């Protein structure tokens, strides 16, 4: 029962360009969405989040967009840097604290 | 293919009691991770097994937490004795060793409430 899906297992982007990572969800009860970043041999670290009352949240080079009607969110990284190369996980949470994760997308930023 | 499963889904215990959480990874996945989500915010890494060996347990909060993975299959996380601040949702994830994407598949979590 995959309630959160990241359909692209990998993404390759040139340094300086925009990276767009996508995430789709099925459960309309989700009201809080998070993105995590994971380097090899490390646990995921929190990156950015967005509440369902917003459609955009920006933090430096990272922006998360939420389209509730489409049950879709995306993470934009601009400009992309080689240090951004990692696996990015999308997660969704409901008010009862249930949380579901996507399978991750590996981003490679080429110099 | 069955995903990562966790048992129980919910547990309510009193302070001072012991609780054991179980995680069954996807068959064939040598990597197994435990995470904790406290205060409804971001998750925190606890530890990482590769087969039965603890690869990284830097996130374990204190010695009241004991994780095991005998035989390299399922894993247990025991909290003894439980304290109020241990309440949260405990997630388990698994992945294959040597894959390109290092994709982690998460279980549904166990919600622990310590009263």
């Amino acid at each position: 029962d995959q309630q959160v899906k990241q359909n692209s297992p990998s993404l390759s982007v040139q340094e300086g360009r925009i990276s767009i990572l996508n995430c789709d969800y099925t459960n309309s009860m989700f009201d809080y969405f998070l993105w995590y970043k994971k380097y090899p041999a490390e646990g995921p670290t929190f990156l950015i989040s967005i509440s369902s009352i917003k459609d955009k949240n920006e933090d430096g080079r990272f922006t998360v967009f939420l389209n509730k009607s489409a049950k879709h969110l995306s993470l934009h990284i601009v400009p992309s840097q080689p240090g951004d190369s990692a696996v990015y996980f999308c997660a969704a949470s409901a008010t009862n604290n249930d949380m579901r994760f996507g399978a991750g997308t590996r981003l490679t930023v080429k110099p | 293919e069955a995903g990562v499963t966790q048992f129980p889904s919910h547990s309510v215990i009193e302070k001072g009691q012991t609780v054991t959480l179980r995680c069954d990874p996807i068959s064939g996945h040598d990597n197994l991770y435990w995470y904790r989500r406290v205060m409804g915010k971001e998750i925190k890494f606890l530890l990482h097994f590769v087969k039965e060996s603890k690869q990284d347990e830097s996130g374990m909060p204190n010695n009241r937490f004991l994780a095991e993975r005998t035989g390299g299959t399922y894993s247990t996380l025991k909290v003894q004795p439980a304290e109020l601040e241990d309440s949260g949702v405990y997630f388990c994830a698994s992945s294959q060793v040597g894959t390109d994407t290092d994709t982690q598949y998460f279980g549904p979590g166990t919600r622990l409430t310590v009263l």
Side-chain angles (χ1 to χ4, degrees):
Chain A
D1 178 19
Q2 269 195 298
Q3 297 187 33
V4 177
K5 295 182 181 180
Q6 292 176 257
N7 292 318
S8 298
S10 62
L11 174 68
S12 183
V13 171
Q14 205 68 33
E15 180 179 8
R17 306 294 290 268
I18 185 172
S19 296
I20 300 176
L21 299 106
N22 294 303
C23 178
D24 296 288
Y25 62 96
T26 58
N27 189 341
S28 58
M29 297 300 293
F30 290 143
D31 60 2
Y32 189 63
F33 304 89
L34 309 93
W35 283 95
Y36 289 84
K37 179 179 179 180
K38 181 186 178 301
Y39 291 114
E42 295 182 11
T45 55
F46 172 72
L47 188 59
I48 192 170
S49 64
I50 187 168
S51 165
S52 61
I53 62 174
K54 295 185 175 182
D55 54 18
K56 176 182 175 182
N57 188 25
E58 190 172 352
D59 183 3
R61 295 185 298 112
F62 301 90
T63 302
V64 56
F65 294 92
L66 175 63
N67 183 335
K68 289 188 292 294
S69 60
K71 294 190 176 65
H72 176 84
L73 66 155
S74 60
L75 174 67
H76 293 212
I77 307 172
V78 55
S80 302
Q81 299 173 354
D84 296 330
S85 297
V87 177
Y88 289 78
F89 291 95
C90 165
S93 170
T95 51
N96 62 0
N97 275 331
D98 281 346
M99 194 165 178
R100 296 290 185 269
F101 292 85
T105 297
R106 174 174 289 281
L107 173 65
T108 303
V109 180
K110 298 180 180 179
Chain B
E1 176 182 336
V4 176
T5 58
Q6 292 186 245
F7 181 84
S9 58
H10 297 79
S11 180
V12 180
I13 61 173
E14 291 185 346
K15 176 183 174 181
Q17 289 186 318
T18 298
V19 63
T20 301
L21 314 180
R22 173 171 169 146
C23 169
D24 285 79
I26 292 174
S27 178
H29 283 192
D30 288 336
N31 287 319
L32 188 148
Y33 305 82
W34 282 99
Y35 300 93
R36 180 170 70 168
R37 186 187 188 206
V38 177
M39 301 297 288
K41 298 297 183 184
E42 65 268 22
I43 61 172
K44 298 289 186 182
F45 167 78
L46 295 178
L47 87 160
H48 169 209
F49 283 100
V50 178
K51 296 186 179 180
E52 67 274 10
S53 299
K54 292 176 184 176
Q55 187 77 9
D56 179 359
E57 51 184 330
S58 60
M60 295 289 266
N62 51 61
N63 59 10
R64 294 185 293 102
F65 288 76
L66 175 64
E68 294 180 322
R69 193 183 182 195
T70 306
T73 54
Y74 71 90
S75 175
T76 58
L77 178 64
K78 180 189 288 187
V79 185
Q80 179 183 28
E83 297 290 343
L84 299 179
E85 64 265 25
D86 300 332
S87 295
V89 182
Y90 290 77
F91 292 97
C92 172
S94 73
S95 69
Q96 288 181 316
V97 171
T99 58
D100 290 338
T101 60
D102 194 25
T103 296
Q104 290 193 13
Y105 296 87
F106 284 81
T110 293
R111 184 176 306 123
L112 174 64
T113 303
V114 182
L115 302 175

